[in-house]
C-alpha cells in the first residue's frame, strides 16, 4: 500500500483493511502454502527491489479508477516497461470498464437508466463465469514477514467485530445466503431500515473480497428473474455508474457535476455540524441513523439519503463535510459511490435528486420505520414517549420531552423543519438566478 491508497482510507475502513489482509494472509498459507507479503511504502521502489532480487519478469494488477491511482499506475507501468518487465492490468472491480459504455454521441452517460440499459447486456455478453482459485505456484522468498498495522488509535472499532466478518470466504457465503433467502423480497424490503434486509455486501465489494462479476454470475445462475432481482442488479448498476462519474467527471470528490452549485450559498455552522455527527439533532430518525453509523460503521441506504438531505438542505452545510465524515466512518467508504451519493443527495450530481426534493424526516420515518423499531433500537430512551407518532416528533409530547432533556437523554430539534426548508429553496432559487 502506498500513499495514494493511504490518503483515501478512512478510520473505519482501516479496521476492515487490517482484518481483511490478516484473513487473506492466513487463507493463502492454509490453502496454497504461500506466504503473502504485505508491503507499505512507495510502490515503484518496492517493486523494483523485488524485481531485482527475484528476477521477476512480469507484474500484474487489477485496475483502479480515481485520477490519482490512474496516474500512479500509468507511471509505474511506463517505468517498469522501460526495464523490460511485462506489465498487465485487469478489471475485477467493475462489470464493465467506464470507457466501454458510451451513448450514441460517444460520450459517457449522465443519466442512469439508459446507462444501465446498455451496460448490463454488455456485461452479459462477456459470458463471465466465476471460478474458484484452485492452485497457486508456491513462491519462495526469504523476506522477513513484516507486521502490518493500519488500525486507528481510538478503539471504537472494536465493536465492529459483532457485526462484520471481513474476508473473501464470508463474502461468498453471505452472497450465496442472500440469493437463497432474501433477494426475492429486495424490492419491497430494501427501503426499510427496520427490516434490515439489504445484502450488506458493500464493504466486501469495496475491498475486492468479492467482485460484482461474481455477484451477477451467481444471481444469473441461481435465480429466475423477477422485479426484485432486477432492482438488486440495478443497484449494482448504480455502483458502476458512480465509477463512470469518478472516471470521467472533473474531480468527483470536490467539484459538483452541475456547475451551478459552485455558487451555492452554503452555511458554515460547526455547532450544528457536530450535532449532526453525534446524532443530536432532535430528529429521531436522523439521530438513530447517525448512531448506527458510529456503532456499526455502516448505514442503511435510505438513511444515508435522509441524513444527507438533512445536512445539505435543512442545515445547508456543504456536502463536502458530509462526504468527508462518511469517508472516515463508513467501512464501505468508496471513492466513487460516496461522492456520487453525496452529489445525488445535494442535487448537484448526475441524474441527481432534484434540489427541491427535500426529505421530511417525519414522513420518512412514517413510511420506512412505521413502528419506530429502527429508531428505538438506537434511541431506546424514546420509549418513554409512548406513542409512535411522538417518537417520530418528540416535541408533540412536550412534558415527556422536557423530562428527557432534563435527564440529558434527548434534545429539542436544532432547526425548524419548515423554516429551514424554505431557506434552502430560496438559496436554490438564488443559484438559478445567478446563471
Ligand atoms: C450519501 C450516500 C453515500 C454513500 N456512500 C457509499 C459508499 O461510500 N460506499 C458504498 O458502497 N455505497 C455508498 N452509498 C450507496 C449505498 O448506500 C450503499 O451501497 C448501500 O447502502 C450498501 O448496503 P448493501 O450492501 O446492503 O446494499 P444493497 O442494497 O444490498 O445493494 C447491493 C450493492 O449495490 C450497490 N449499491 C446499492 N445502492 C447503491 C447506490 N445508491 N449507489 C451506489 N451503489 C449502490 C452497493 O455496492 C451495494 O453493496 C452511498 C449512498 C448515499 C446516498
Amino acid at each position: 500500500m502506498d500513499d495514494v491508497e493511504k490518503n483515501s482510507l478512512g478510520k473505519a475502513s482501516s479496521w476492515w483493511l487490517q482484518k481483511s489482509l490478516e484473513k487473506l494472509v492466513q487463507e493463502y498459507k492454509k490453502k496454497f502454502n504461500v506466504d503473502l507479503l504485505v508491503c507499505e511504502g512507495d510502490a515503484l521502489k518496492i517493486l523494483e527491489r523485488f524485481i531485482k532480487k527475484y528476477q521477476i519478469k512480469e507484474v500484474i494488477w487489477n485496475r483502479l479508477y480515481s485520477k490519482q491511482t490512474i496516474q500512479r499506475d500509468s507511471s509505474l507501468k511506463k517505468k517498469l516497461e522501460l526495464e523490460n518487465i511485462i506489465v498487465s492490468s485487469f478489471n475485477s472491480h467493475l462489470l464493465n470498464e467506464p470507457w466501454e459504455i458510451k451513448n450514441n454521441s460517444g460520450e459517457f452517460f449522465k443519466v442512469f437508466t439508459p446507462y444501465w440499459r446498455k451496460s448490463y447486456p454488455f456485461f452479459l455478453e462477456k459470458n463471465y463465469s466465476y471460478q474458484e482459485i484452485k492452485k497457486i505456484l508456491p513462491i519462495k522468498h526469504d523476506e522477513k514477514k513484516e507486521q502490518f498495522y493500519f488500525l486507528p488509535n481510538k478503539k471504537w472499532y472494536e465493536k465492529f467485530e459483532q457485526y462484520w466478518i471481513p474476508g473473501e470466504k464470508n463474502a461468498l457465503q453471505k452472497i450465496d445466503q442472500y440469493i437463497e433467502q432474501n433477494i426475492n423480497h429486495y424490492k419491497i424490503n430494501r427501503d426499510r431500515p427496520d427490516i434490515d434486509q439489504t445484502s450488506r455486501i458493500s464493504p466486501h465489494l469495496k475491498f475486492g473480497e468479492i467482485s460484482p462479476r461474481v455477484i451477477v454470475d451467481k444471481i444469473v445462475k441461481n435465480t429466475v428473474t423477477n422485479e426484485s432481482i432486477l432492482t438488486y442488479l440495478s443497484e449494482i448498476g448504480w455502483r458502476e455508474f458512480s465509477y463512470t462519474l469518478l472516471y470521467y467527471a472533473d474531480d468527483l470528490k470536490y467539484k459538483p457535476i452541475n456547475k451551478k452549485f459552485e455558487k451555492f450559498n452554503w452555511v458554515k455552522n460547526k455547532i450544528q455540524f457536530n450535532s449532526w455527527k453525534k446524532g443530536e439533532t432532535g430528529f429521531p430518525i436522523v439521530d438513530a441513523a447517525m448512531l448506527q453509523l458510529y456503532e456499526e460503521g455502516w448505514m442503511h441506504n435510505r438513511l444515508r439519503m435522509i441524513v444527507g438531505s438533512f445536512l445539505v438542505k435543512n442545515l445547508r452545510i456543504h456536502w463536502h463535510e458530509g462526504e468527508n465524515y462518511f469517508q472516515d466512518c463508513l467501512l464501505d467508504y468508496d471513492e466513487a459511490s460516496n461522492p456520487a451519493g453525496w452529489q445525488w443527495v445535494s442535487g448537484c450530481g448526475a441524474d441527481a435528486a432534484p434540489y427541491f426534493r427535500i426529505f421530511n424526516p417525519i414522513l420518512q420515518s412514517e413510511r420506512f420505520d412505521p413502528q419506530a423499531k429502527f429508531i428505538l433500537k438506537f434511541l431506546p430512551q424514546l420509549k418513554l414517549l409512548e406513542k409512535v407518532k411522538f417518537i417520530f416528533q418528540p416535541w408533540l409530547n412536550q412534558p415527556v420531552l422536557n423530562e428527557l432533556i432534563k435527564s440529558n437523554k434527548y434534545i429539542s430539534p436544532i432547526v425548524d423543519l419548515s423554516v429551514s426548508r424554505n431557506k434552502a429553496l430560496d438559496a436554490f432559487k438564488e443559484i438559478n438566478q445567478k446563471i
Side-chain angles (χ1 to χ4, degrees):
M1 155 130 82
D2 81 359
D3 286 348
V4 174
E5 272 87 26
K6 235 178 171 176
N7 292 342
S8 75
L9 205 63
K11 290 196 189 73
S13 38
S14 307
W15 175 82
W16 195 287
L17 179 69
Q18 176 77 25
K19 299 289 155 188
S20 184
L21 286 173
E22 284 170 8
K23 280 269 168 64
L24 192 68
V25 170
Q26 281 163 15
E27 276 168 25
Y28 268 59
K29 183 71 187 163
K30 200 168 137 204
K31 254 168 114 176
F32 309 116
N33 195 24
V34 165
D35 282 318
L36 274 186
L37 281 176
V38 177
C39 301
E40 224 184 310
D42 182 90
L44 181 65
K45 281 192 190 138
I46 293 172
L47 283 173
E48 280 180 329
R49 183 165 79 77
F50 287 146
I51 285 167
K52 207 164 155 198
K53 187 165 171 193
Y54 299 103
Q55 293 172 7
I56 291 165
K57 301 206 167 34
E58 184 166 2
V59 175
I60 61 173
W61 64 67
N62 278 324
R63 277 178 220 126
L64 295 170
Y65 300 90
S66 70
K67 305 271 184 306
Q68 294 85 334
T69 51
I70 291 173
Q71 217 170 35
R72 193 262 323 267
D73 293 347
S74 318
S75 141
L76 260 181
K77 189 168 195 264
K78 251 191 222 150
K79 286 178 181 148
L80 294 180
E81 281 175 347
L82 280 176
E83 295 170 28
N84 289 326
I85 305 294
I86 302 168
V87 180
S88 324
S89 59
F90 297 91
N91 167 14
S92 79
H93 202 55
L94 298 174
L95 300 178
N96 298 310
E97 298 291 13
W99 52 88
E100 284 178 324
I101 310 299
K102 297 271 180 68
N103 65 19
N104 290 340
S105 329
E107 289 167 356
F108 73 98
F109 281 95
K110 285 143 200 112
V111 180
F112 174 73
T113 305
Y115 164 80
W116 188 234
R117 215 180 283 134
K118 190 152 184 183
S119 178
Y120 185 52
F122 189 84
F123 171 69
L124 291 182
E125 274 170 29
K126 290 178 180 162
N127 269 328
Y128 171 86
S129 184
Y130 168 59
Q131 311 269 331
E132 209 183 317
I133 301 174
K134 294 266 173 359
K135 200 177 157 193
I136 290 188
L137 284 181
I139 311 159
K140 289 226 165 6
H141 65 71
D142 58 7
E143 299 297 318
K144 217 172 53 221
K145 261 196 278 169
E146 281 174 40
Q147 290 297 320
F148 49 90
Y149 194 81
F150 300 109
L151 295 175
N153 294 333
K154 199 175 153 197
K155 292 203 170 9
W156 102 106
Y157 54 72
E158 281 171 347
K159 49 191 178 344
F160 294 164
E161 310 257 358
Q162 293 169 46
Y163 305 102
W164 305 96
I165 309 173
E168 183 187 24
K169 191 169 153 207
N170 190 54
L172 290 169
Q173 273 170 7
K174 203 183 215 181
I175 206 66
D176 285 341
Q177 199 178 4
Y178 192 74
I179 291 172
E180 207 180 300
Q181 296 174 3
N182 301 103
I183 203 169
N184 283 319
H185 311 289
Y186 183 75
K187 191 162 194 264
I188 44 167
N189 288 343
R190 63 186 279 263
D191 271 320
R192 295 280 300 269
D194 57 337
I195 294 179
D196 192 14
Q197 273 192 14
T198 60
S199 64
R200 286 185 178 240
I201 203 71
S202 51
H204 301 279
L205 272 167
K206 139 95 201 180
F207 283 96
E209 295 172 355
I210 193 165
S211 162
R213 296 171 167 224
V214 175
I215 298 180
V216 172
D217 183 52
K218 281 175 176 287
I219 293 175
V220 169
K221 289 203 177 112
N222 297 302
T223 61
V224 179
T225 308
N226 58 38
E227 283 290 311
S228 272
I229 301 223
L230 292 176
T231 309
Y232 188 85
L233 288 168
S234 77
E235 292 306 323
I236 298 284
W238 272 99
R239 178 178 178 275
E240 296 278 309
F241 186 57
S242 303
Y243 271 89
T244 303
L245 302 179
L246 177 72
Y247 184 75
Y248 282 107
D250 177 22
D251 206 352
L252 189 65
K253 186 173 170 71
Y254 294 106
K255 297 191 183 159
I257 290 176
N258 181 342
K259 297 295 171 216
K260 269 198 309 207
F261 279 81
E262 282 173 352
K263 298 201 173 72
F264 193 85
N265 188 13
W266 300 105
V267 169
K268 279 207 166 84
N269 187 329
K270 229 176 168 174
I271 295 175
Q272 289 193 336
F273 182 50
N274 280 335
S275 304
W276 177 82
K277 288 200 286 191
K278 288 196 274 182
E280 292 178 358
T281 66
F283 293 94
I285 191 80
V286 174
D287 296 338
M290 297 307 288
L291 295 177
Q292 178 179 43
L293 178 61
Y294 190 77
E295 171 72 19
E296 297 179 19
W298 182 88
M299 191 193 286
H300 188 281
N301 181 59
R302 169 61 43 184
L303 302 171
R304 295 185 202 206
M305 297 193 280
I306 296 172
V307 303
S309 170
F310 186 80
L311 184 77
V312 299
K313 296 179 181 172
N314 294 101
L315 302 182
R316 269 191 300 133
I317 290 177
H318 203 300
W319 59 271
H320 287 166
E321 304 279 353
E323 202 273 337
N324 276 330
Y325 187 65
F326 270 28
Q327 171 168 5
D328 229 16
C329 298
L330 280 173
L331 290 167
D332 66 19
Y333 164 69
D334 183 279
E335 56 190 354
S337 300
N338 198 49
W342 277 97
Q343 292 219 25
W344 185 90
V345 167
S346 309
C348 62
D351 207 1
Y355 185 83
F356 51 80
R357 190 174 155 218
I358 299 177
F359 284 61
N360 178 315
I362 299 149
L363 299 180
Q364 292 287 315
S365 318
E366 285 168 5
R367 273 189 74 188
F368 301 114
D369 186 23
Q371 280 101 42
K373 207 174 125 200
F374 175 80
I375 292 176
L376 289 176
K377 184 171 170 197
F378 289 94
L379 294 165
Q381 66 273 36
L382 299 192
K383 267 191 201 125
L384 270 186
L385 289 157
E386 286 177 3
K387 291 190 179 155
V388 165
K389 73 170 182 183
F390 298 148
I391 295 172
F392 296 152
Q393 307 177 73
W395 54 92
L396 295 183
N397 188 352
Q398 198 62 48
V400 177
L401 178 59
N402 287 343
E403 262 179 57
L404 288 164
I405 295 172
K406 232 194 215 149
S407 51
N408 277 332
K409 289 191 176 139
Y410 206 56
I411 50 257
S412 295
I414 60 167
V415 278
D416 179 294
L417 277 187
S418 96
V419 173
S420 59
R421 182 175 190 280
N422 288 336
K423 283 188 180 164
L425 292 175
D426 287 346
F428 181 58
K429 264 190 221 140
E430 254 179 57
I431 53 166
N432 282 325
Q433 283 156 7
K434 279 179 187 162
I435 291 293

